[in-house]
Amino acid sequence: MANTSTDQKLVIAGTAYTSRLLVGTGKYKDNDETRQALEASGAEIITIAIRRTNIGQNPDEPNLLDALPLEKYTLLPNTAGCYTVEDAVRTCKLARELLGGHKLVKLEVLGDEKTLFPDTIQTLKAAQILVDDGFDVMVYTNDDPLIAKELENIGCVAVMPLAAPIGSGLGIRNPYNILTIIENANVPILVDAGVGTASDAAIAMELGCDGILMNTAIAAAQKPILMASAMKKAIEGGREAYLAGRMPRKRFASASSPIDGTFF
Amino acid sequence: MITLTLNGEELQLEDNTNIVQLLQKLNLENKRLAVEINQQIVSRSDFNHHILQNQDKVEIVQAIGGGCNNQKY
């Protein structure tokens, strides 16, 4: 078994986590599948959404949060679907009220329905307001090193650039930008959005990402629970490869058996 | 009677209804939820003495499965 004891834990807002995989809880077939996929993923941080309560329709409908062993997880309320600073800030404040003073939130302010790219200008404004209000902000952003650094300077506790558009499953489209963001950073950098399969996750970790947040790659797989397990292993494998330091690339072959002592 | 907007729908209530009474009427007491009135959050400890007013815009929200990034559950 690989010796991973030298690896440090992922520290976000002062709390240390063993798992570097953060998962969303949407798009699953039912609550039971969600619960099993979360367990297989080994994730310790799970995202949730804040939405209107159904009025008058099935008030006793089973809610996901009642179906999950919440004591095992750190909840990460997110502002998914917000297109303005006001909506994102409102959502975070409601989440804080709902969860009894909970400070950790995931901020995303989207700019465009077709690409779901983040509106980085609004994201910067919302991040400033939330940090000033005492939130621990994990922020979704573009793969732009300057914006990522500015979000860190504002006081976000983690910066989460996209690998590719949300739900696209295209993998890291701009690994050099992600690498630059990582090299510049003093807070954890997590890839958020765009991972499609296990190799995408491994590549992100081999670049030196501190973790990955995903939802669709697991929930939309043919067998979500198996994919959750695959992602867990890919992230652990990618992390170990990053810590191990890969061999240099060479254009031509280099024999791995000694030349000395050949008898032919 | 007063008329307010609850989660985007019109609702008529008796005068002097507080938030606890509204939640009871909706069968939502003891649920994990948060209440916002005219974009101001009302803390749970104020539910029993916050009287709803005519034309109030009330939002009752809860946490559901979601994200990262999916728009709707």
Side-chain angles (χ1 to χ4, degrees), chain A:
Chain A
M1 193 166 156
N3 178 14
T4 53
S5 61
T6 52
D7 193 10
Q8 292 171 340
K9 292 191 172 188
L10 170 62
V11 178
I12 296 173
T15 304
Y17 300 93
T18 304
S19 171
R20 292 175 180 272
L21 172 57
L22 290 67
V23 295
T25 54
K27 293 186 177 174
Y28 287 94
K29 190 178 68 190
D30 53 35
N31 287 346
D32 198 47
E33 187 182 76
T34 314
R35 183 183 55 75
Q36 290 185 62
L38 295 189
E39 198 173 323
S41 75
E44 295 166 282
I45 300 177
I46 61 173
T47 67
I48 54 169
I50 308 298
R51 289 291 181 269
R52 281 175 167 166
T53 299
N54 275 339
I55 302 298
Q57 307 160 6
N58 308 324
D60 291 322
E61 193 178 4
N63 182 297
L64 175 75
L65 295 191
D66 301 324
L68 293 178
L70 293 183
E71 68 286 353
K72 282 170 65 176
Y73 299 110
T74 296
L75 295 181
L76 181 60
N78 78 72
T79 66
C82 289
Y83 284 83
T84 65
V85 172
E86 292 73 24
D87 286 348
V89 171
R90 259 177 94 189
T91 301
C92 290
K93 287 182 175 175
L94 282 166
R96 181 168 62 184
E97 177 66 22
L98 194 58
L99 300 174
H102 183 94
K103 285 163 61 184
L104 188 69
V105 292
K106 177 192 156 183
L107 170 66
E108 66 177 60
V109 186
L110 302 174
D112 169 62
E113 285 187 28
K114 183 176 176 184
T115 60
L116 296 181
F117 278 144
D119 182 330
T120 49
I121 299 162
Q122 305 304 319
T123 300
L124 288 165
K125 289 180 188 164
Q128 185 73 63
I129 292 168
L130 291 169
V131 168
D132 289 348
D133 198 4
F135 284 95
D136 293 329
V137 181
M138 300 178 70
V139 60
Y140 168 67
T141 184
N142 219 325
D143 56 3
D144 178 335
L146 299 179
I147 298 292
K149 193 64 189 176
E150 187 57 27
L151 288 163
E152 176 187 326
N153 290 340
I154 283 171
C156 293
V157 297
V159 176
M160 308 198 290
L162 53 78
I166 289 168
S168 70
L170 289 171
I172 297 187
R173 296 291 84 202
N174 201 340
Y176 299 104
N177 273 27
I178 298 288
L179 190 59
T180 305
I181 291 171
I182 293 165
E183 286 170 352
N184 289 345
N186 295 309
V187 294
I189 301 296
L190 293 87
V191 157
D192 179 6
V195 167
T197 188
S199 53
D200 295 334
I203 289 168
M205 294 308 291
E206 286 169 10
L207 283 173
C209 286
D210 295 286
I212 302 181
L213 172 48
M214 66 176 78
N215 191 158
T216 313
I218 296 174
Q222 304 282 315
K223 296 179 181 172
I225 299 160
L226 190 56
M227 185 58 90
S229 167
M231 289 298 186
K232 175 178 192 276
K233 290 168 184 160
I235 286 173
E236 289 170 358
R239 177 69 183 174
E240 287 181 15
Y242 166 72
L243 293 172
R246 62 152 298 148
M247 61 164 280
R249 288 180 175 82
K250 285 182 251 166
R251 190 167 162 210
F252 295 110
S254 158
S256 51
S257 300
I259 305 293
D260 291 349
T262 47
F263 55 88
F264 39 76

Side-chain angles (χ1 to χ4, degrees), chain B:
Chain B
M1 297 287 279
I2 59 165
T3 302
L4 48 75
T5 307
L6 170 62
N7 289 6
E9 306 275 337
E10 271 199 3
L11 179 74
Q12 296 211 319
L13 289 176
E14 300 291 330
D15 289 352
N16 295 316
T17 302
N18 67 35
I19 296 175
V20 171
Q21 290 163 329
L22 172 65
L23 294 177
Q24 282 168 352
K25 184 181 158 68
L26 299 169
N27 288 322
L28 291 175
E29 68 265 44
N30 307 320
K31 297 273 182 195
R32 205 189 325 233
L33 43 77
V35 176
E36 192 191 67
I37 297 177
N38 303 325
Q39 301 211 13
Q40 294 294 317
I41 290 171
V42 182
S43 71
R44 190 164 277 277
S45 55
D46 291 331
F47 280 5
N48 59 3
H49 51 259
H50 189 110
I51 306 295
L52 294 158
Q53 305 295 323
N54 198 35
Q55 305 295 322
D56 271 350
K57 287 194 169 21
V58 181
E59 293 287 343
I60 301 179
V61 302
Q62 63 183 23
I64 63 164
C68 61
N69 324 112
N70 57 314
Q71 304 242 61
K72 291 196 176 96
Y73 179 42

